[in-house]
Amino acid sequence: MLGHMMKLPLSIASLIRHADRWHGDTQIVSRRVEGDIHRYDWHGAHLRSRRLAGALRELHVAAGDRVATLAWNTHRHLEIYFAVSGSGAVCHTVNPRLHPDQLAWIVNDAEDGYVFFDLTFLKIVESLAPRCPSVKGWVAMTDRAHMPQSALDLICYEELLHSHDGDFEWPSVSEDSASSLCYTSGTTGNPKGALYTHRSSVLHSFAVCMPDAFGFSACDVVLPVVPMFHVNAWGIPYAAPMAGCKLVLPGPHLDGASLHQLFEDEKVTITAGVPTVWLALLEHMAQAKASLSSLRRVVIGGAAAPPSMIRAFGERHGVEVLHAWGMTELSPLGTVNQPKAKHAALDEATRDALREKQGRPPYGVDLRIVGDRGAPLPHDGATFGDLQARGYWVVDRYFRGGNALDDGWFPTGDVSTIDPDGYMKITDRSKDVIKSGGEWISSIDIEGLAMAHPAVAQAAVIGVKHPKWDERPLLVVVLKSDAQVTAAELLATFEGRIAKWWVPDDVLFVEALPLTATGKLSKLELRKQLAHYRLPAP
Ligand code: AMP
């Protein structure tokens, strides 16, 4: 028998309509690329999003058409998110930190019709334009007074927006239609497009808001440091209007001092970003002897949060770390580390060990680990396996085809354990695992320990060829400024804390570690740089 409930399609426009109607005077603060602070509220954002949607219609942007952005986290980028998806087109966020060849490849693969860009990226746009025949117009996200000189016939964002009066009504869209598109970073082969739907994005927002996920409420002030070009800033631009949060967008200035100032000025309560950003913030605060007066929670994901970072936030600054794991193909939310009631009784060391894990899935995502032949492995907290996921916001195929699933599950490419309480712990990317004498060594565990040493700023462990053991771990470190430590002293700190055969065979000191376009350590690049390295003779 069929039930008798309204069948309203889940839609991205409904999120900002809700925020306008019920949280209309809640602020959105944005540090503009021009440098100053822009302030308005959900009512203003909704109005301007509809003006832009009306202008897009006049440009003949149709349902399903792709519209790209090359932009920082600002109020204009937010407006594009809602104007494009809300009008039925697909908001394609492109990572401007990628190599120009990759950018051209992605824009051509997506066949973007218009590209909105921040002035920071003018040079990139000028080099892309001759190579991207699908693009009908390049929109500079600024006003007339700041329009740059260019050989291209650029469209001015503010003029475009003001060409329409805002009487635009959101069209009704099927909840299964495409809303947004993100490409994977493509560390192996060409990047692949993850195409999200209105339904997956709204369900993902519900999950983000849940108390054991990011726990957003109308009392929160949220600052996503994670870029809106990196998996939709982890869904925060959609979840914030759902919960009625005040939203603070940091623009291009993501250094420790600029972030700290925004946290304090705007009384930010929760923020989110990758570990490299927090290293810089913690270092700035240590040097400036600064504290955090309003920040309560920091979501750390995208790469493993080193235990020393979790402790620094908690013990030094009274900020709770929510360690989270996810990926582009998961929209991205996969797990968040939040305790269960029974964990209140744990002793400190056991609780610390638990907090280092990536956490458990919210309702909406299911996980399992499998062995070589795809057979499920036990959730005993010790067995390593290939991590697989399925759920309401997990891709099943890529944009431009290509089944993404294996036996109904999405293979994440991560290797992990899952403990009997459901807490998942990533030990490595499968491409990065170190196999020594047929057994796996977790590079992430060793990196975490190395980073707990007071002299170490950053650490990476990679496998290098070994005649007897096949591979052995090599530790590569960046020291803190003015700090000193010898290889032997560093290696001594591992004694009794990891198995003897996990202790790296050598330590290399370097000036900097290579990062990917999303600010994560690039082990692929590091292995390339160290291709000629040979282990010392025993
Ligand atoms: P991306 O699709 O660029 O967001 O990258 C997703 C990948 O980042 C995952 O498959 C993991 O390898 C890695 N990752 C994300 N979050 C974490 C985390 N908390 N700890 C360890 N690795 C992570």
Side-chain angles (χ1 to χ4, degrees), residues 281-342:
L281 175 76
L282 289 169
E283 195 161 308
H284 162 76
M285 289 200 297
Q287 272 169 12
K289 299 202 172 23
S291 58
L292 291 162
S293 60
S294 56
L295 195 69
R296 296 286 163 264
R297 288 163 292 161
V298 51
V299 183
I300 306 185
S308 50
M309 181 179 286
I310 300 178
R311 275 197 302 276
F313 271 114
E315 289 163 16
R316 247 182 274 150
H317 301 291
V319 174
E320 184 191 358
V321 168
L322 305 180
H323 193 190
W325 165 84
M327 56 195 310
T328 307
E329 291 92 332
L330 267 73
S331 304
L333 184 60
T335 60
V336 184
N337 193 328
Q338 293 264 21
K340 293 182 176 178
K342 64 180 177 186

Side-chain angles (χ1 to χ4, degrees), residues 214-535:
F214 300 179
F216 282 175
S217 90
C219 296
D220 274 315
V221 182
V222 185
L223 187 154
V225 181
V226 51
M228 290 166 75
F229 56 74
H230 183 197
V231 212
N232 297 323
W234 300 347
I236 291 173
Y238 303 130
M242 175 180 270
C245 306
K246 171 176 166 183
L247 188 60
V248 183
L249 299 167
H253 305 289
L254 305 178
D255 59 286
S258 306
L259 287 178
H260 182 261
Q261 191 186 349
L262 263 189
F263 288 154
E264 290 304 292
D265 289 354
E266 301 304 329
K267 305 205 174 0
V268 172
T269 60
I270 177 165
T271 182
V274 296
T276 29
V277 167
W278 306 127
L279 277 178
L281 175 76
L282 289 169
E283 195 161 308
H284 162 76
M285 289 200 297
Q287 272 169 12
K289 299 202 172 23
S291 58
L292 291 162
S293 60
S294 56
L295 195 69
R296 296 286 163 264
R297 288 163 292 161
V298 51
V299 183
I300 306 185
S308 50
M309 181 179 286
I310 300 178
R311 275 197 302 276
F313 271 114
E315 289 163 16
R316 247 182 274 150
H317 301 291
V319 174
E320 184 191 358
V321 168
L322 305 180
H323 193 190
W325 165 84
M327 56 195 310
T328 307
E329 291 92 332
L330 267 73
S331 304
L333 184 60
T335 60
V336 184
N337 193 328
Q338 293 264 21
K340 293 182 176 178
K342 64 180 177 186
H343 296 136
L346 291 179
D347 62 78
E348 209 175 302
T350 320
R351 198 162 52 222
D352 278 355
L354 178 71
R355 294 174 65 86
E356 289 162 20
K357 301 190 178 194
Q358 277 73 7
R360 53 192 167 79
Y363 166 77
V365 178
D366 195 12
L367 297 178
R368 68 174 189 179
I369 46 174
V370 298
D372 279 349
R373 287 197 198 83
L377 295 172
H379 293 184
D380 58 10
T383 310
F384 296 40
D386 291 314
L387 180 64
Q388 299 191 328
R390 63 179 181 189
Y392 300 128
W393 48 85
V394 178
V395 298
D396 62 358
R397 45 190 283 127
Y398 286 100
F399 179 65
R400 305 269 178 232
N403 176 24
L405 303 187
D406 176 7
D407 188 25
W409 291 76
F410 176 75
T412 64
D414 286 326
V415 174
S416 77
T417 60
I418 301 179
D419 73 19
D421 287 330
Y423 288 73
M424 186 275 288
K425 182 173 187 208
I426 303 272
T427 54
D428 263 307
R429 209 55 208 143
S430 60
K431 295 184 290 284
D432 297 335
V433 294
I434 303 170
K435 239 180 179 175
S436 178
E439 298 284 344
W440 281 347
I441 294 177
S442 166
S443 64
I444 293 181
D445 280 353
I446 309 176
E447 287 157 6
L449 281 174
M451 288 183 62
H453 192 284
V456 174
Q458 278 169 281
V461 174
I462 56 170
V464 290
K465 284 265 159 285
H466 189 280
K468 179 169 174 196
W469 301 111
D470 190 24
E471 272 187 333
R472 288 295 302 153
L474 166 71
L475 172 61
V476 188
V477 296
V478 179
L479 292 180
K480 287 189 184 149
S481 38
D482 302 331
Q484 277 186 336
V485 65
T486 66
E489 282 165 352
L490 254 184
L491 292 178
T493 63
F494 295 124
E495 249 169 61
R497 305 172 83 178
I498 48 175
K500 266 211 173 70
W501 60 277
W502 278 31
V503 176
D505 281 24
D506 196 10
V507 183
L508 283 185
F509 295 94
V510 296
E511 289 291 310
L513 288 169
L515 297 182
T516 67
T518 46
K520 304 181 196 185
L521 179 66
S522 173
K523 291 203 179 170
L524 187 78
E525 187 54 36
L526 186 62
R527 279 193 292 266
K528 265 195 219 154
Q529 290 178 1
L530 296 176
H532 300 296
Y533 168 86
R534 292 287 168 272
L535 284 169

